[in-house]
Every structure is written in structure tokens, then in C-alpha cells.
């Protein structure tokens, strides 16, 4: 790509604008979102390969884990989606015999879901894969760097929560 020059032979001020990053892409929040998205995309591909699970299915299996049966409403809350959004994924996991549904003995109107033996095997594959990915990430940092990073993430998370609450307040 050629560079534009002014009459005096110097590069014009806008000659390099096409090569500089957009201002928002150098912001901390943008860089963290890029990192999070890369990690999420890699995880989704790995869990699809290891356990045949989509992103939503992976979230459901991971949330159920090795816990007692959970209501659909509680599961939806745990994965941050409404019941309607997860119902199709639950139906698919039930048809693949990874999740079992049962009536709540304390309230027959409520449906409880839990992992089957095959679901537990998928969960264990997810955990093993996550531990491997985590190990590979941690190899890049010393123990002190890791502790510092965690402390910084905690501080940034607390600030982000405050910013979110401030955005919810009408101005």
C-alpha cells in the first residue's frame, strides 16, 4: 500500500490511519473480550470433539455436574438463560440419554433434571478438558504472576459490577 505525501515530501497526517488500530480495540475491556471469546471458541470446539456437546448443552452438563437433581428453573438461572431457551437443549440431551428428567417428590408440578451415567462421562470429559486447557494457560505465568492476575481480575470484576449497576439506573 502506498503512502501519501504532502508537497513538502513529508507523510501526510492521515497516511498511517489505515494501519493504526481502532481506538476501542486497544481498550482493556475490548482486549479482555477478545481473550474471553478466543477461550470460549476453543472450549466449544474441544467439548464438541470430546463429548459431542454444543455450547448450550455443554453449559447445562457442566452446571449439573455431580450435583443432586436440579429444577429446570434453577438450572436456567445457573446458566444465565430463561427456561424457554434451554428447553430444546434439554430435550436433545434427554433424547441422547445424557440427562434424565423426573418429577420433584416435594412438588410434582416441578421437573428435576440430573445427569445419567453417560452424562456423567461427558461431564468428566469436559472437566478433564478444562483442566488441560487451564494447565496450558497457567504454564505462561509464574505463580506470583498468576496470583497478581487473579487479584487484578477480582478488582476489575468488582468495578465492572458497579459499572453495570450504574448503567441500570435511569439518568
Amino acid at each position: 500500500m502506498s503512502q501519501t505525501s504532502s508537497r513538502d515530501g513529508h507523510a501526510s497526517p492521515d497516511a498511517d490511519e489505515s494501519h493504526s488500530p481502532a481506538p476501542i480495540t486497544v481498550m482493556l475491556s475490548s482486549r479482555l473480550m477478545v481473550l474471553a471469546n478466543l477461550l470460549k471458541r476453543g472450549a466449544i470446539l474441544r467439548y464438541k470433539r470430546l463429548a459431542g456437546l454444543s455450547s448450550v448443552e455443554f453449559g447445562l452438563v457442566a452446571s449439573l455436574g455431580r450435583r443432586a437433581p436440579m429444577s429446570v428453573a434453577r438450572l436456567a438461572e445457573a446458566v444465565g438463560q430463561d427456561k424457554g431457551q434451554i428447553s430444546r437443549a434439554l430435550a436433545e440431551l434427554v433424547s441422547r440419554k445424557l440427562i434424565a428428567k423426573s418429577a420433584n417428590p416435594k412438588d410434582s408440578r416441578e421437573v428435576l433434571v440430573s445427569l445419567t451415567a453417560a452424562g456423567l462421562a461427558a461431564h468428566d470429559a469436559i472437566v478433564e478438558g478444562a483442566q488441560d486447557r487451564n494447565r496450558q494457560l497457567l504454564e505462561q505465568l509464574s505463580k506470583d504472576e498468576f496470583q497478581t492476575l487473579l487479584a487484578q481480575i477480582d478488582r476489575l470484576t468488582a468495578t465492572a459490577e458497579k459499572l453495570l449497576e450504574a448503567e441500570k439506573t435511569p439518568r
Side-chain angles (χ1 to χ4, degrees):
M1 186 170 209
S2 64
Q3 218 176 31
T4 59
S5 298
S6 63
R7 290 184 187 207
D8 63 4
H10 293 94
S12 64
D14 61 352
D16 269 346
E17 284 184 18
S18 65
H19 298 291
S20 28
I24 200 161
T25 63
V26 295
M27 291 182 181
L28 176 62
S29 58
S30 292
R31 294 175 81 172
L32 289 173
M33 284 190 275
V34 167
L35 173 60
N37 285 332
L38 287 169
L39 291 171
K40 181 179 179 180
R41 288 171 47 205
I44 289 168
L45 290 172
R46 177 173 279 218
Y47 304 139
K48 183 73 168 173
R49 179 176 48 81
L50 290 175
L53 299 174
S54 72
S55 174
V56 174
E57 293 167 347
F58 149 74
L60 297 174
V61 170
S63 292
L64 284 168
R66 294 189 168 274
R67 298 179 180 158
M70 188 181 300
S71 72
V72 175
R74 173 113 166 71
L75 180 59
E77 182 181 300
V79 297
Q81 297 178 341
D82 65 52
K83 291 192 303 184
Q85 289 176 306
I86 66 169
S87 64
R88 185 176 11 196
L90 281 174
E92 176 62 23
L93 290 169
V94 168
S95 75
R96 291 171 47 202
K97 298 184 182 352
L98 296 174
I99 287 181
K101 287 185 174 183
S102 61
N104 184 342
K106 296 176 182 173
D107 181 355
S108 61
R109 298 168 296 172
E110 185 176 62
V111 174
L112 299 177
V113 291
S114 59
L115 295 178
T116 63
L120 286 169
H123 174 265
D124 292 347
I126 288 169
V127 170
E128 186 177 324
Q131 289 172 334
D132 181 52
R133 290 172 51 80
N134 193 59
R135 181 189 50 74
Q136 291 178 53
L137 283 169
L138 292 180
E139 287 174 351
Q140 309 308 307
L141 303 171
S142 71
K143 186 175 181 178
D144 287 344
E145 288 172 325
F146 176 63
Q147 293 304 319
T148 299
L149 177 61
L150 287 181
Q152 291 169 339
I153 288 171
D154 289 344
R155 282 189 8 233
L156 292 171
T157 300
T159 301
E161 288 170 345
K162 290 176 186 171
L163 292 170
L164 175 60
E165 288 306 312
E167 290 298 328
K168 291 178 181 178
T169 305
R171 296 180 190 194

